[in-house]
Amino acid sequence: MTAYEAELVVDRREFAADGVLALTLRHPLGDQLPAWEPGAHIDVVLGPGLERQYSLCGDPADRTQWRIAVLREPDGRGGSVHVHERLSQGDQVRVRGPRNHFRLEPAPRYRFIAGGIGITPILPMLAAAEAVGAEWTLLYGGRSRQSMAFTKELGLYGDRVTIAPQDETGLLDLASVLGDVPKSTLVYCCGPGPLLDAVEERAPSGVLHVERFQAKEQPVGEDGEFEVELARSGLTLIVAPDVSVLDTVRAAGVEVLYSCAEGTCGTCETDVLDGTPEHRDSVLTQEEQENGETMMICVSRCRGRRLVLDV
């Protein structure tokens, strides 16, 4: 299935917090945008070689607009600075998606944990949980109260939301959220890597869902040469030790969707028809990796000598 791709107009720019710019995107002709569910993100093409993923943080029921929020990172790779300094109201920007590897699974109870800009995918999850009458709480941390986005919107939920700026309360009290997780409760967390690592260490098995904005450090694995057969293209290729499956496929003239090339966005997810992938992504759950039905061809490799892909 071909992903939606269009030039959208920056309809509104407003600061959601110090250093956090919220953008509302619309179709220039007023067309409806594709439906999405909490946890979804879009690819935003800012220029040649400058493509970034941002979580949708507006109202899924409003098909006339998409909202994203971008944290300015002066020491980043340039995407956020471009958005803050060069993307003006009325400009058009190419967008693909939405895609979702962070879906809100049905449950009677949720515990949400967000750090910094990680509040963006969590925000529509709260509204969805509220709409179905689920019990939920949110623990939301950031460097300072002024740097934490959407606190005014979150204030509408009362004491179910705990705002915990680090300069006022210190590090997040994860023990209070994860120490006694009741049965049938799911935990959703998004934020910086150290927060996710800490949550993964403490959360009970089988209840945690996370989304990473940066690739998780992976253990060194097999980097040897292997063969990849592209079933639909009728090609068999050799993947060299220092070349990704993605680059090998593209070098052979086969076009495939990709974006981050770091194993965090899920755009290049590909069905595996035969063989065992060695997963090095930060998207698939442990269960999904063990099933081996798909792989992120930008970073993952082969545990063995041969893979057959549905490409």
Side-chain angles (χ1 to χ4, degrees):
M1 181 177 177
T2 303
Y4 175 82
E5 185 167 351
E7 296 280 343
L8 301 186
V9 174
V10 179
D11 186 61
R12 189 166 65 249
R13 284 169 46 105
E14 55 189 348
F15 280 93
D18 288 351
V20 179
L21 182 63
L23 302 179
T24 301
L25 307 174
R26 294 181 182 269
H27 193 279
L29 300 179
D31 294 353
Q32 282 200 333
L33 301 175
W36 60 280
E37 297 178 351
H41 72 263
I42 56 174
D43 303 329
V44 180
V45 183
L46 300 169
L50 198 61
E51 184 172 326
R52 299 292 183 265
Q53 292 72 46
Y54 299 110
S55 297
L56 292 171
C57 57
D59 179 3
D62 186 353
R63 300 279 299 277
T64 68
Q65 63 181 22
W66 283 342
R67 183 176 70 169
I68 60 174
V70 182
L71 171 67
R72 181 186 174 95
E73 298 182 277
D75 298 325
R77 296 179 297 152
S80 69
V81 172
H82 181 101
V83 170
H84 277 250
E85 295 185 357
R86 300 183 61 182
L87 201 57
S88 302
Q89 186 167 332
D91 286 351
Q92 292 196 4
V93 62
R94 178 153 291 273
V95 170
R96 288 197 302 264
R99 297 184 180 86
N100 200 339
H101 286 275
F102 193 43
R103 285 184 173 83
L104 185 66
E105 302 292 341
R109 290 173 292 274
Y110 299 97
R111 294 193 179 180
F112 298 104
I113 304 170
I117 198 62
I119 190 61
T120 51
I122 299 294
L123 197 60
M125 291 184 178
L126 305 182
E130 184 79 356
V132 298
E135 298 177 16
W136 62 268
T137 60
L138 166 67
L139 177 60
Y140 177 26
R143 295 188 309 277
S144 66
R145 194 174 295 272
Q146 292 74 27
S147 71
M148 298 171 68
F150 305 118
T151 53
K152 185 175 181 180
E153 292 181 34
L154 292 169
L156 300 175
Y157 292 117
D159 60 6
R160 283 175 293 177
V161 173
T162 300
I163 304 293
Q166 186 173 348
D167 62 353
E168 298 178 21
T169 63
L171 296 177
L172 290 181
D173 182 10
L174 297 179
S176 66
V177 179
L178 301 174
D180 60 341
V181 179
K183 188 177 181 180
S184 302
T185 297
L186 295 182
V187 178
Y188 279 78
C189 181
C190 185
L195 171 63
L196 298 182
D197 293 342
V199 170
E200 287 179 337
E201 288 179 3
R202 293 168 173 80
S205 176
V207 306
L208 179 61
H209 298 258
V210 303
E211 181 171 62
R212 290 180 177 269
F213 294 142
Q214 295 181 327
K216 184 177 183 179
E217 185 175 346
Q218 299 289 338
V220 176
E222 300 177 20
D223 285 319
E225 177 182 284
F226 61 93
E227 182 179 276
V228 59
E229 178 184 338
L230 310 183
R232 285 190 282 115
S233 302
L235 296 175
T236 298
L237 309 173
I238 299 299
V239 181
D242 57 347
V243 180
S244 69
V245 176
L246 172 65
D247 287 344
T248 302
V249 170
R250 295 185 66 238
V254 179
E255 289 301 317
V256 290
L257 284 176
Y258 73 99
S259 184
C260 73
E262 296 181 339
T264 59
C265 74
T267 304
C268 71
E269 184 173 11
T270 302
D271 288 340
V272 177
L273 304 180
D274 193 26
T276 303
E278 182 185 282
H279 297 285
R280 299 184 183 182
D281 66 275
S282 302
V283 178
L284 298 175
T285 65
Q286 183 176 345
E287 181 180 3
E288 289 169 334
Q289 290 187 349
E290 290 172 354
N291 288 338
E293 296 176 355
T294 67
M295 65 182 289
M296 306 302 159
I297 61 173
C298 65
V299 292
S300 297
R301 300 186 67 80
C302 177
R303 187 168 294 170
R305 297 297 302 165
R306 185 171 179 272
L307 286 172
V308 181
L309 303 179
D310 187 20
V311 174

